[in-house]
Amino acid sequence: MRDAAERWSRDEAQALHDLPLFDLLYRAQTIHREHFDPNEIQTSTLLSIKTGGCAEDCAYCSQSARNGSKLPAAKLIEVERVLAEARRARDSGATRFCMGAAWREPKARDMPALVAMVEGVREMGMETCMTLGMLDDTQVAQLREAGLDYYNHNIDTSERYYPEVITTRTFADRLDTLSRVREAGIKVCSGGILGMGETGGDRIDMLLTLANLPEPPESVPINMLMPQPDTPLAAAEPVDPIAFVRLIALARILMPRAYVRISAGRTDMSDETQALCFMAGANSIFSGDRLLTADNPEESRDAALFAKLGLRVQAAPVPEGRGAPEAEASAEEKVTPACCGDRAPA
Ligand code: SAM
Ligand code: DTB
Ligand code: SF4
């Protein structure tokens, strides 16, 4: 048994990564079964609460104003609209609602609306997640006070490759926000993207940075680059599916207790690739046919895949300090979600 305070070395991680595939999958699946029900999947739904016009220059992103992207810049959407979307997501089975904004960082004047969004979504009995860019101590404290469960802030790639992808902020800035979030007691969601021209070593180093944090993230999204028109990475080469599966398995072994999410890029993944990812220890996805600006598989495709594999969608935990989900929903609104609960394999 490995001591939680021990750091993983590059040699150890590389050796695991390079195992024959079935040995690697066996190791990852064994560890997965020690910490999770292998037939259960956590799902989150994403909503873009502020789209486009971002000041950062992330080379992969359709929302950067510096990428020559044609996506128009919108304002932060109203709280009521966010809550209506959240209610819809809850009624179709979502247990975690993630709100994403195309910002370098939020402004002080945005905080009251963000706080109201977190409070409103929690009242519906869902977990909350936000991804808003960099945060200062005051903002972290306000979100914590509102009851925010998770903060998503990806390191995206290795420290070495980071400046090839983003120049308007540093890898250290990213770690700085992650440590503020952790110190405040908000759960950390942090991962990255494969397919931006990085080496295999960069991918392993990215996971090592996360696994060797003083406390590893509770949630690790692994995105497959979705090349966006007009961005510098529009013509990036696709990632080999088996290389993707190896990274998922390595994430599971290095971070045994984390939810490992197959995030962006599932529209281009076969059922077989996704099944291998779940076998390698992935146990979370985004559900709903939209991510932030890009497509995600239709819910019916995911439901069919889960049924084929005999996977169940995890039920929502009751948020700390709250009773039952909001009482105000009408009887008609409280439909049993089609994709939740026990489902026998087809
Ligand atoms: N602006 C905030 C930030 O950068 O932290 C939050 C939103 S940002 C879109 C969230 C994450 O989405 C990025 O860190 C990146 O990992 C992922 N992402 C963005 N565009 C992507 C793409 N085209 N393909 C795959 N992942 C992408
Ligand atoms: C994460 O790692 N992936 C999500 C979420 N965190 C915010 C975002 C994926 C974005 C994909 C491209 C788009 O929708 O614009
Ligand atoms: Fe802005 Fe986030 Fe896109 Fe970077 S990834 S350009 S910070 S929205």
Side-chain angles (χ1 to χ4, degrees):
M1 186 74 179
R2 205 185 159 84
D3 185 327
E6 242 177 274
R7 287 172 62 85
W8 289 96
S9 73
R10 173 66 184 280
D11 286 350
E12 284 174 300
Q14 186 80 53
L16 286 165
H17 177 272
D18 295 346
L19 281 171
L21 183 67
F22 301 128
D23 290 344
L24 174 62
L25 288 178
Y26 181 72
R27 296 275 287 263
Q29 171 77 189
T30 305
I31 288 173
H32 188 48
R33 283 170 182 265
E34 284 165 14
H35 299 282
F36 292 99
D37 176 342
N39 300 312
E40 199 169 82
I41 293 284
Q42 188 279 329
T43 61
S44 300
T45 299
L46 258 179
L47 177 69
S48 181
I49 58 171
K50 193 271 161 197
T51 307
C54 185
E56 305 275 42
D57 70 350
C58 313
Y60 49 79
C61 189
S62 61
Q63 306 200 68
S64 165
R66 301 176 187 237
N67 276 346
S69 148
K70 307 212 169 38
L71 201 73
K75 290 206 170 100
L76 179 63
I77 63 180
E78 288 102 47
V79 176
E80 276 318 309
R81 236 179 97 196
V82 173
L83 298 187
E85 290 292 339
R87 204 165 285 122
R88 230 189 313 276
R90 180 201 59 189
D91 291 346
S92 44
T95 56
R96 189 181 305 164
F97 194 66
C98 302
M99 295 159 267
W103 279 325
R104 177 175 165 81
E105 71 262 297
K107 300 208 165 45
R109 65 163 188 260
D110 301 315
M111 294 312 294
L114 296 171
V115 162
M117 290 172 195
V118 172
E119 290 176 344
V121 174
R122 276 198 113 212
E123 303 243 321
M124 293 174 202
M126 278 188 287
E127 290 184 305
T128 52
C129 176
M130 280 185 156
T131 180
L132 312 168
M134 293 184 265
L135 297 179
D136 64 26
D137 283 335
T138 310
Q139 292 167 329
V140 170
Q142 288 169 311
L143 293 172
R144 170 70 193 133
E145 182 60 28
L148 183 69
D149 296 291
Y150 286 84
Y151 195 72
N152 167 243
H153 200 64
N154 291 342
I155 59 168
D156 281 335
T157 189
S158 68
E159 183 169 15
R160 183 198 75 83
Y161 197 61
Y162 201 82
E164 305 291 323
V165 181
I166 302 151
T167 69
T168 50
R169 59 170 189 252
T170 64
F171 196 75
D173 290 332
R174 251 6 216 184
L175 296 180
D176 199 37
T177 293
L178 286 176
S179 94
R180 285 175 213 275
V181 168
R182 171 62 77 209
E183 299 267 296
I186 298 171
K187 294 194 193 97
V188 169
C189 171
S190 187
I193 309 180
L194 308 193
M196 302 189 294
E198 72 285 345
T199 64
D202 289 316
R203 294 174 185 171
I204 294 172
D205 284 344
M206 173 181 86
L207 293 185
L208 279 172
T209 296
L210 296 170
N212 287 333
L213 287 172
E215 229 183 300
E218 281 81 4
S219 169
V220 178
I222 308 290
N223 297 277
M224 176 90 94
L225 177 73
M226 299 182 79
Q228 301 293 311
D230 301 321
T231 64
L233 291 173
E237 287 291 313
V239 177
D240 173 65
I242 300 295
F244 191 83
V245 170
R246 281 187 179 276
L247 254 283
I248 296 278
L250 186 60
R252 168 54 63 226
I253 296 170
L254 299 184
M255 293 170 275
R257 290 182 174 78
Y259 280 88
V260 175
R261 180 177 309 125
I262 331 176
S263 294
R266 288 195 307 114
T267 40
D268 290 328
M269 277 180 216
S270 67
D271 284 0
E272 293 84 345
T273 299
Q274 293 186 65
L276 274 178
C277 288
F278 297 137
M279 194 176 168
N283 58 350
S284 174
I285 56 154
F286 283 117
S287 63
D289 56 11
R290 198 128 269 271
L291 293 165
L292 293 171
T293 68
D295 289 344
N296 197 43
E298 304 263 328
E299 284 187 45
S300 55
R301 181 184 158 198
D302 283 340
L305 174 61
F306 290 177
K308 271 199 279 186
L309 301 178
L311 292 178
R312 296 180 307 272
V313 173
Q314 190 183 66
V318 176
E320 274 165 47
R322 298 285 160 126
E326 68 175 10
E328 89 232 23
S330 67
E332 306 86 81
E333 271 183 309
K334 287 186 176 165
V335 288
T336 306
C339 62
C340 274
D342 288 335
R343 195 202 340 261

